[in-house]
Amino acid sequence: LDENLEYMQSMRTIDSSSVSGRPSADLFEAVRYIDRNANKLLYPTEESKNSLWDRCKGSWKLQLATGGGRFTTFKPVPIFAYAMIDDKHFGNGVCLNSEFAILSLLGPHYFNSRTRQMGIGIEDLFLFGNNVTPFAPGFVSEGMGLGKSQDDYKADKKRMPTFTMIGASEKSLIARGGTGGIAIWTRLDSDIRPSAYGDYEFGV
């Protein structure tokens, strides 16, 4: 990737907008270059796809989003929404800031390196860093798919929520959601997990 000048320039454009939270005029074209060339040029091998996946791990703040697959303009996200990826878990939620999480979700992820897609399950619900899963009303649990596994979605003939990883660097993460919209996150300086999940045991 370091030898691909257009890729490097595209990532610099994305990184700049990601860190500042302000979309540049050429941001969508930079993302589109990486998206269109992902499989054949940028991540043609299993090794390169897994390297991308490794760069996706960390704690991220959502900065910019298109809002849907039909839109070609990135807009700033007005709330502090985060995503977290580690070796086993995916989490997301809403915070006041990186030290004070309000609502957080956590569950296993299922990464398919061939498609660069990460399926996500939700097993636990947290409020202010406290696990409140046992107290969640039934309609909330059902609406969120709380506790549903890959096999459960298959049995119900429904698609598990997924993100397709487009690109990642030390500063930025770019991914497409299930509706086709593209989002850009900036990497947080600190691990969001203590704030969002309290004393939850993540293991080694």
Side-chain angles (χ1 to χ4, degrees), residues 115-118 159 162-167 174-177:
T115 60
R116 293 177 286 111
Q117 287 189 333
M118 175 186 66
R159 185 178 180 183
T162 61
F163 288 97
T164 300
M165 302 308 182
I166 295 173
I174 314 108
R176 176 182 289 103

Side-chain angles (χ1 to χ4, degrees), residues 21 30 37 43 58 66 75 101 119 131 133 143 152-153 183 186:
N37 292 282
Y43 321 117
T66 60
K75 296 182 179 179
N131 194 331
T133 308
D152 293 330
Y153 278 100
T186 189

